[in-house]
Amino acid sequence: MGKGKVWLVGAGPSDVGLFTLKGKQVLEQAEVVVYDALVGHGVLAMVPKSAELIDVGKRAGNHTLPQEMINQVLLEKAMEGKRVVRLKGGDPFLFGRGGEELELLTENDIPFEIVPGVTSAISVPAYNGIPVTHRDFCSSLHIITGHKKKGREYDIDFEALVRTKGTLVFLMGITAMEDICKGLMAGGMSPDMPAAVLQKGTSARQKRVVATVGTLKAASDAAKIETPAIIVVGKVCTVAEQFTWYEKLPLQGCRVLVTRPKELASRMTDQLREKGAEVVELPAIQTEAILPNKQLEEAIASIEKYQWVVFTSQIGVRIFYEALKNARIDVRRMNGLKIAAIGKGTKAEVENHGMFVDLMPSIYDGESLGRELAGVCEKGDQILIPRARIGSHELIEELEKAEGVKIDEIPTYDTVLVESHLIDEKKEFAAGNMDYAIFTSASTVRGFEAATPGLDYSTVEAVCIGKQTAAEAEKLGMKVHISKIASIASVAQLTEELFAAKKASL
């Protein structure tokens, strides 16, 4: 067995949008992922399902694995011939002990790469409206670790730091904030020098306290600042209110769980993130094409006999056209065939394949689709419905009311429940860390239920895309909100309205 390879990948501060393109590419090909406590949930959601997961997360005073053991794990997994990703919060070479982890690898001739990450020392102040450099205030930036070993004095020349007249950023220094401020003042810094403490930057739980070096500890305690947080010292802190931007986004401070299948989640997630939400993508279900599918193959081979083909999901459209391609059936044989689609997303997917939809219901659900299609069908029409094995019975019930129509309902995919091994959804909701769960089908509700046994579902605020989805959530006792239209844009708009009302009531 040949040697594998190790990638030290910086995951950035928390916001998944700050994860680098190269980091994402490397992570998606990982066979083993060794990850830290500070890696954001959005990045963890990108870890391949097939990867072996090793949690070595370290917080102040709570080390899951000693550093020497982490180094050994990386070596052992690489010696097994694996593609190993060491996923670290921030940047691996900025107080990330990346250099230490490379020493054992180089001694054993293990190939490696470094993928830099966006450091919290610059990004967190930026998300709080604080430029770490500004020509009116300073000409240098200094990043210092605030962490020190128990019972030891700081090995920091505070007088030298004060003489630089630059911006000072202390990472991992919250528990030693008082010592840091005293050290700076003892080194000659004025107690009135502006200073800030920035909690959980770039996440929904971001919080900022701006004070002075002399008052920062008291102000931080009063605001109940939690780790992880960074300390910024310098005149640049005075422009925070003027330059604030992140907290002005309508969903900043809102944490949302999106439960759509992974291949469909991105559009929903993108719209929510554009509005400032912190989105955790945890697909509660995934779809698996039914293969081989003789019934579908036979229907496609005689596609000319149908007057209508009905699509009830984007996945259904993709699988149908993939089956056409595999059977080498030219779409020109569908000339004269009319297409019905349940909603805008499904309609867009049909158009992606070069065809247009003839009917889309006024309300995007199975009952309305069946009723409105039945109203335009002619006696003798044959209707092909390639869809999930378990689909809405209302669609068929309404279509059967049309006189003389023949319906071929063909299962083309199964919906399978998926459980996350990286993020504990039950714990997140029980602790009040999630504002909303977004459900786009009844099956996503069932998947969420399977992943959270024993959860008090009355603590879950569910934003649902339609009546059937809402009914499934209501069965569990969730507090349910239904979007006006069964569309991604409408769900995002409803989430924004709900969060605005929540903030106004605080």
Side-chain angles (χ1 to χ4, degrees):
M1 183 187 296
K3 291 179 182 177
K5 184 171 178 176
V6 177
W7 284 261
L8 263 62
V9 178
S14 181
D15 184 343
V16 68
L18 300 180
F19 191 37
T20 67
L21 291 173
K22 184 168 184 181
K24 181 176 184 288
Q25 179 188 32
V26 168
L27 183 59
E28 287 172 344
Q29 296 173 24
E31 294 174 297
V32 179
V33 177
V34 181
Y35 65 99
D36 267 356
L38 291 178
V39 176
H41 283 171
V43 174
L44 289 177
M46 295 180 184
V47 173
K49 194 172 64 169
S50 58
E52 179 185 354
L53 306 170
I54 302 175
D55 180 3
V56 296
K58 296 188 291 184
R59 298 269 193 192
N62 180 21
H63 289 203
T64 304
L65 270 187
Q67 186 62 50
E68 295 74 18
M69 289 289 290
I70 296 173
N71 303 347
Q72 193 65 37
V73 166
L74 296 177
L75 175 62
E76 288 173 3
K77 292 300 174 182
M79 293 295 284
E80 292 173 11
K82 302 286 180 63
R83 295 173 58 89
V84 183
V85 169
R86 172 69 172 108
L87 196 58
K88 305 168 78 71
D91 179 89
F93 277 3
L94 185 65
F95 306 129
R97 305 185 79 167
E100 294 176 46
E101 293 176 354
L102 293 184
E103 288 170 3
L104 193 59
L105 300 179
T106 54
E107 287 170 15
N108 289 273
D109 296 320
I110 300 295
F112 62 86
E113 284 188 33
I114 311 302
V115 182
V118 175
T119 173
S120 62
I122 295 173
S123 57
V124 170
Y127 268 53
N128 281 274
I130 298 175
V132 290
T133 65
H134 190 295
R135 62 186 295 178
D136 293 341
F137 300 131
C138 64
S139 57
S140 64
L141 165 66
H142 309 270
I143 303 171
I144 309 106
T145 176
H147 181 73
K148 67 172 182 176
K149 289 188 176 178
K150 230 175 184 180
R152 292 197 188 178
E153 292 297 313
Y154 271 119
D155 185 21
I156 295 174
D157 188 339
F158 284 107
E159 288 184 21
L161 283 177
V162 173
R163 284 196 304 272
T164 67
K165 299 182 181 178
T167 302
L168 309 179
V169 177
F170 292 86
L171 305 184
M172 302 172 288
I174 297 308
T175 55
M177 185 188 301
E178 191 167 12
D179 289 342
I180 290 170
C181 291
K182 284 180 178 177
L184 290 171
M185 288 186 286
M189 182 173 282
S190 167
D192 296 328
M193 175 63 75
V197 57
L198 311 175
Q199 168 191 296
K200 299 181 180 178
T202 83
S203 79
R205 300 299 178 248
Q206 174 171 306
K207 186 190 284 189
R208 174 181 69 248
V209 172
V210 178
T212 65
V213 171
T215 61
L216 189 62
K217 179 66 169 69
S220 176
D221 290 347
K224 297 180 179 176
I225 291 294
E226 301 171 356
T227 58
I230 71 172
I231 298 166
V232 183
V233 178
K235 293 177 182 178
V236 290
C237 296
T238 60
V239 300
E241 287 300 320
Q242 181 185 351
F243 292 168
T244 184
W245 61 275
Y246 185 48
E247 59 202 60
K248 290 181 180 178
L249 297 175
L251 286 178
Q252 197 283 313
C254 182
R255 203 151 184 260
V256 182
L257 178 75
V258 171
T259 59
R260 296 193 95 190
K262 195 163 191 174
E263 61 270 28
L264 296 178
S266 59
R267 281 180 59 231
M268 174 75 77
T269 297
D270 288 348
Q271 288 207 19
L272 293 166
R273 284 181 177 148
E274 281 174 17
K275 294 173 181 284
E278 181 183 348
V279 182
V280 178
E281 283 183 331
L282 283 179
I285 59 170
Q286 69 181 34
T287 54
E288 295 178 356
I290 297 170
L291 295 171
N293 194 330
K294 190 175 180 184
Q295 201 179 355
L296 180 61
E297 290 168 11
E298 290 174 352
I300 283 173
S302 56
I303 196 71
E304 293 90 349
K305 73 179 183 181
Y306 294 102
Q307 282 69 51
W308 286 91
V309 61
V310 178
F311 294 115
T312 60
S313 69
Q314 293 165 258
I315 295 295
V317 176
R318 292 176 193 174
I319 291 172
F320 176 81
Y321 280 98
E322 189 66 25
L324 277 180
K325 181 181 174 183
N326 291 340
R328 300 195 65 78
I329 302 291
D330 197 310
V331 291
R332 286 173 290 188
R333 285 180 57 181
M334 294 174 67
N335 182 36
L337 181 69
K338 292 181 178 178
I339 299 175
I342 198 166
K344 288 181 178 178
T346 307
K347 175 176 178 282
E349 191 64 41
V350 171
E351 291 176 354
N352 285 344
H353 290 85
M355 301 191 76
F356 291 97
V357 168
D358 300 278
L359 184 145
M360 188 171 69
S362 52
I363 299 172
Y364 306 152
D365 61 26
E367 182 181 351
S368 301
L369 176 59
R371 183 175 59 252
E372 293 179 31
L373 180 55
V376 298
C377 282
E378 297 179 5
K379 190 173 182 179
D381 276 357
Q382 292 197 61
I383 303 172
L384 174 62
I385 308 178
R387 65 171 184 166
R389 194 188 298 272
I390 301 173
S392 158
H393 59 85
E394 290 91 349
L395 169 62
I396 304 301
E397 287 173 0
E398 290 296 329
L399 278 176
E400 287 176 340
K401 294 175 184 177
E403 186 181 352
V405 300
K406 184 175 185 301
I407 302 166
D408 284 350
E409 181 187 10
I410 299 177
T412 60
Y413 63 92
D414 286 309
T415 302
V416 182
L417 303 182
V418 177
E419 191 172 341
S420 170
H421 299 290
L422 279 166
I423 301 166
D424 188 338
E425 300 109 304
K426 180 179 173 182
K427 182 180 176 182
E428 291 294 318
F429 276 95
N433 291 335
M434 289 286 180
D435 294 289
Y436 306 104
I438 291 181
F439 299 109
T440 54
S441 67
S443 56
T444 60
V445 179
R446 290 191 288 271
F448 178 75
E449 179 187 14
T452 55
L455 177 64
D456 176 4
Y457 292 105
S458 67
T459 63
V460 178
E461 282 207 54
V463 181
C464 300
I465 207 164
K467 290 187 294 184
Q468 292 168 346
T469 305
E472 200 71 28
E474 283 171 344
K475 280 185 198 173
L476 296 175
M478 295 182 189
K479 185 177 180 181
V480 172
H481 310 276
I482 308 175
S483 61
K484 291 175 185 174
I485 304 169
S487 71
I488 289 170
S490 185
V491 169
Q493 181 61 38
L494 175 58
T495 307
E496 184 179 334
E497 291 167 3
L498 292 168
F499 190 63
K502 180 183 281 190
K503 285 197 295 186
S505 67
L506 295 176

